[in-house]
Amino acid sequence: MPEKYFIKTYGCQMNERDTEIMAGQLDELGYSPTPHDYDADLIIINTCAVRGSAEQHAFGYIGQLKQLKEQHPDLKLAVAGCMAQEPGTVAWIKRYAPHVDLVFGTHNLHQLPRLLDEAEEHQETLVDVWKTAGDVVEHLPSHRNDGVRAFVNIIYGCDKFCTYCIVPFTRGKERSRNITPIFEEVKALAQEGYQDITVLGQNVNSYGHDLDPQVDLADLLQTLERIDGVRWLRYTTSHPRDFSQRLIDTIAESKKITHHVHLPVQSGSSGILKRMNRKYTKEQYLDLIDRVKQAIDDVSLTTDIIVGFPGESEADFAETLDLVKTVRYDAAFTFIYSPREGTPAARWEGRDPVPNPVKKERLNRLMELQYQISWEANQKLLGLTEPVLIEGLSRKDPNVWAGRTQSNKVVLVNRDAREDLIDRFVAVRIETAKTFYLGGVQVGAPLSGPAPRRRVELPLL
Ligand code: SAH
Ligand code: SF4
Ligand code: F3S
């Protein structure tokens, strides 16, 4: 019987991608995946440190696993990911979770086979966390979890040091992959049949500044869109400061780069933005949004916003609400500020915190506003026909397909049992528009050829 592994992943798409690379290494070692923790021989907890809540979930899960380990003494437990880069986590594990066999970080996950071997020899928890990142490692095996969308790293780390954020500490300095291995990876994915590709980084807009010769994200996307079989090309996450006019023009002209632009604003107050070290003002951000809206047809805009940053006044928050009303995002990810040890803002939180009830109340007001705007934006799609890439069956209803538009909106499509539509593009006439998803019916046969960019207007039946 091959040994079985289970990986629990918290956090962002970069962590999901790291999980795929760990899984690929385990497959090569002869392990096989299991969808449950209770029958695994090896459990890896791939952690996220971005907010306290993410950490609490991981701590809770690590604690729970003590019982499983008591029942199965041969079970191996490993903690990986961004929390492992924090000395506080390692100290906590040593003190409260000695049932963990191995702790390793984001910079040495490519050495998983060696780490597992060494942990086997060790009586106590083996801790092998690198403080700094080495060179980019290519040609790692990978076990992709998603059969329809594929994610490809293009840049690791972050040099921005937003004052609230832990990521530059857990992921190290920016390192870009060369264009050639990225091109080869995407080409191989397209040959495997992946049509929807997302390139990944904490700040994809600074891609290539550290390469020789220097290149940028626009160059990379232009190169990738030449690959046959790639239909939709996405990129995440963007930093507004580095989002160049050249990139906007490249997206506008491209037939494959999707018209979804995620531009985290974080706050609508220039004073708060300055203290966040975002290096743009509200006016500069709004000017960028104007240029994006002008150049890119039917662009769908989304964002990230933090409320309750230390010292955020009611007037600052009102500016955030105002900005949301001006931009009219299709969706926003909204967060309550969470102090991260070692970051500058965590020290300010000690002196000038926004009280918890105020944070919560602001979050509620912001969400209420955004939900209304999202709902209204979706109403405008009623009656239109959109190309949708079907990803699978709806989790709630097996009689319904679930897919996504190029603008990244989830669409539920009535299912005709005769045809398997997974990984196919279908034209869907939108007949329901909710805050978080759309619903519709398939029009005609699955589409072939490149997905149509412009919506086709059809009357509602
Ligand atoms: N690199 C990306 C995403 C980083 S993490 C970017 O810069 O956009 C994703 C989001 O989490 C951030 O955009 C921010 O809105 C939020 N976030 C990061 N640190 C946070 C903190 N300490 N408290 C609350 N939200 C935080
Ligand atoms: Fe964090 Fe800012 Fe880097 Fe994003 S750009 S990962 S928010 S430091
Ligand atoms: Fe979390 Fe690390 Fe991603 S802190 S958001 S998993 S980079």
Side-chain angles (χ1 to χ4, degrees):
M1 275 290 279
E3 294 206 281
K4 290 190 220 147
Y5 68 88
F6 172 80
I7 309 182
K8 173 82 186 161
T9 312
Y10 298 91
C12 62
Q13 275 157 330
M14 270 137 285
N15 246 23
E16 298 281 354
R17 182 72 195 119
D18 285 350
T19 288
E20 294 180 341
I21 288 166
M22 291 192 266
Q25 295 177 76
L26 293 172
D27 290 351
E28 284 199 344
L29 288 176
Y31 283 81
S32 63
T34 163
H36 323 106
D37 56 8
Y38 54 77
D39 63 354
D41 303 289
L42 166 67
I43 298 176
I44 301 179
I45 304 125
N46 191 8
T47 58
C48 168
V50 80
R51 283 173 290 276
S53 53
E55 293 202 332
Q56 288 317 315
H57 284 129
F59 282 136
Y61 185 54
I62 296 167
Q64 266 176 38
L65 289 174
K66 187 173 180 192
Q67 216 182 356
L68 199 61
K69 176 107 180 179
E70 278 163 7
Q71 290 160 2
H72 307 279
D74 288 340
L75 170 65
K76 292 275 167 285
L77 294 183
V79 174
C82 286
M83 282 171 70
Q85 293 296 137
E86 298 181 301
T89 304
V90 175
W92 182 90
I93 289 174
K94 286 193 164 157
R95 179 138 188 222
Y96 300 107
H99 56 285
V100 171
D101 299 284
L102 169 65
V103 182
F104 60 99
T106 55
H107 301 315
N108 57 342
L109 63 92
H110 59 284
Q111 298 194 334
L112 185 56
R114 173 185 71 77
L115 294 164
L116 289 172
D117 266 355
E118 284 181 19
E120 193 79 44
E121 307 293 311
H122 240 251
Q123 293 301 313
E124 290 168 6
T125 310
L126 173 69
V127 178
D128 191 340
V129 177
W130 298 2
K131 280 209 167 59
T132 52
D135 290 336
V136 171
V137 184
E138 292 294 349
H139 309 300
L140 290 171
S142 141
H143 174 131
R144 294 192 181 266
N145 287 324
D146 190 322
V148 177
R149 296 189 303 157
F151 297 87
V152 175
N153 289 318
I154 61 167
I155 180 167
Y156 301 97
C158 181
D159 291 346
K160 287 281 185 263
F161 289 93
C162 302
T163 53
Y164 50 81
C165 185
I166 198 71
V167 171
F169 302 95
T170 65
R171 292 271 165 177
K173 67 173 173 43
E174 286 175 359
R175 287 104 57 212
S176 300
R177 286 177 76 191
N178 281 310
I179 282 202
T180 309
I182 299 173
F183 180 84
E184 294 301 331
E185 185 174 339
V186 175
K187 200 166 119 191
L189 288 166
Q191 279 164 356
E192 271 180 58
Y194 283 100
Q195 309 180 84
D196 188 337
I197 305 283
T198 306
V199 297
L200 289 181
Q202 284 299 350
N203 174 14
V204 287
N205 304 101
S206 57
Y207 173 74
H209 72 91
D210 53 336
L211 295 177
D212 183 19
Q214 262 193 16
V215 286
D216 65 14
L217 182 63
D219 297 321
L220 176 70
L221 293 175
Q222 281 167 1
T223 306
L224 297 181
E225 76 170 345
R226 281 190 223 119
I227 297 173
D228 282 343
V230 172
R231 299 262 189 103
W232 283 348
L233 199 47
R234 310 175 186 276
Y235 50 94
T236 196
T237 304
S238 291
H239 192 296
R241 180 184 152 91
D242 299 333
F243 205 93
S244 66
Q245 186 59 44
R246 181 153 177 265
L247 179 61
I248 298 177
D249 296 339
T250 302
I251 299 168
E253 282 157 25
S254 166
K255 295 209 164 47
K256 295 185 176 177
I257 308 170
T258 57
H259 286 195
H260 168 214
V261 179
H262 180 65
L263 271 176
V265 66
Q266 314 299 359
S267 167
S269 148
S270 293
I272 295 289
L273 288 169
K274 188 160 183 4
R275 291 202 296 118
M276 287 177 161
N277 194 30
R278 292 292 288 181
K279 297 202 168 75
Y280 53 82
T281 61
K282 168 179 153 186
E283 288 72 24
Q284 284 166 331
Y285 180 88
L286 287 173
D287 171 65
L288 172 62
I289 292 285
D290 273 348
R291 286 185 285 121
V292 166
K293 281 182 175 169
Q294 258 170 33
I296 305 174
D297 295 337
D298 294 328
V299 67
S300 166
L301 289 164
T302 57
T303 198
D304 294 349
I305 298 172
I306 298 175
V307 302
F309 186 79
E312 182 190 68
S313 66
E314 181 54 35
D316 290 321
F317 177 65
E319 286 198 80
T320 298
L321 293 179
D322 230 37
L323 179 132
V324 166
K325 284 183 203 149
T326 307
V327 179
R328 295 188 62 80
Y329 297 103
D330 283 84
F333 299 95
T334 51
F335 308 104
I336 286 185
Y337 167 70
S338 167
R340 306 286 69 214
E341 205 181 315
T343 60
R347 292 195 296 277
W348 308 333
E349 178 78 351
R351 292 199 299 264
D352 196 10
V354 174
N356 272 334
V358 178
K359 282 180 178 161
K360 285 198 184 125
E361 188 265 338
R362 283 184 191 163
L363 182 74
N364 286 341
R365 271 197 281 162
L366 176 61
M367 287 193 327
E368 206 174 301
L369 171 65
Q370 180 55 50
Y371 290 174
Q372 178 64 27
I373 294 174
S374 297
W375 185 83
E376 286 169 12
N378 285 345
Q379 299 308 302
K380 292 201 175 131
L381 303 178
L382 282 172
L384 301 181
T385 298
E386 285 266 357
V388 171
L389 177 59
I390 301 295
E391 292 176 15
L393 293 176
S394 152
R395 250 176 280 165
K396 290 195 192 128
D397 183 352
N399 294 314
V400 171
W401 294 111
R404 231 175 267 260
T405 62
Q406 61 94 17
S407 59
N408 215 31
K409 294 190 187 223
V410 171
V411 186
L412 302 179
V413 187
N414 286 341
R415 183 174 173 205
D416 174 349
R418 280 166 305 180
E419 215 169 2
D420 180 0
L421 291 181
I422 292 179
D423 204 18
R424 304 194 68 181
F425 283 91
V426 291
V428 175
R429 191 173 56 246
I430 306 299
E431 296 191 339
T432 331
K434 305 276 190 200
T435 307
F436 300 111
Y437 66 92
L438 304 164
V441 291
Q442 183 182 344
V443 184
L447 306 171
S448 55
R453 289 309 321 259
R454 300 300 304 265
R455 298 192 202 109
V456 197
E457 288 210 38
L458 289 179
L460 247 188
L461 285 183

